[in-house]
Amino acid sequence: MRADAARNRRLLLEAAAAEFAEYGTEVSIARIAARAGIGKGTVFRHFATKEHLVTAIFGDQLDRLAARGEELLGHADSGQALLAFMADAVEMQVADRSFCQAVTADLRRDPQLRAASDRLVAAAGSLTARALADGVVRDDITGYDIVLLINAVAQATAPLGDAVPGLWRRYLSLIFDGLRPQAAHPLPVPAPDSLAPP
């Protein structure tokens, strides 16, 4: 890729990520192009459709979260590492209006997103396994559980997020307390073994 094309792509991705975070995925390509300082035609030279652009940005977000999880595997305290991972993931979702919008069945069928999602679940699974080995979390918790609980906190607090900043921290703390083994009861349904739609 030529240097100018690489620069335009970087500007485009940065502008699209910022627009989606502020206004959601319904924002227009024209608005994204204007923010990036490029023409609409340039957008479509890099991404055939808006869905391709959303997929690229969402995949980057999942990869960043997976990398953060892998980094936290080096933390001495496995419980604090798992909680920090969950907090970083919820905070990313709360700060980005498009994150929850992007988690659609159609997008989740995309091979690149499925691979990124698998990396995220693997990182969550590794952090969970360490916490399990240390007796920090109940023994029936999986990486899939952790990812779904992260989404649950973000979704549950989204309607009040602007009015009560940081409210998600309360509910993440409640959920994390529920992961602890003390007074745990058997769960009625097993954990899923995939985040992909059937």
Side-chain angles (χ1 to χ4, degrees), residues 3 35 144 151 194:
R35 184 167 185 154
Y144 291 104
N151 293 338
S194 174

Side-chain angles (χ1 to χ4, degrees), residues 73-143:
L73 284 170
H75 195 290
D77 184 322
S78 61
Q80 286 302 310
L82 180 59
L83 181 58
F85 171 73
M86 294 177 76
D88 288 350
V90 175
E91 190 166 30
M92 177 185 279
Q93 290 187 44
V94 167
D96 187 338
R97 299 174 75 99
S98 70
F99 199 99
C100 291
Q101 292 176 329
V103 186
T104 65
D106 288 342
L107 276 184
R108 295 304 283 269
R109 288 187 180 95
D110 180 89
Q112 289 179 318
L113 278 189
R114 287 182 76 160
S117 180
D118 289 346
R119 288 190 292 274
L120 176 62
V121 170
S126 296
L127 288 166
T128 303
R130 283 189 65 221
L132 281 167
D134 292 343
V136 175
V137 297
R138 50 189 295 159
D139 62 8
D140 52 0
I141 296 299
T142 71

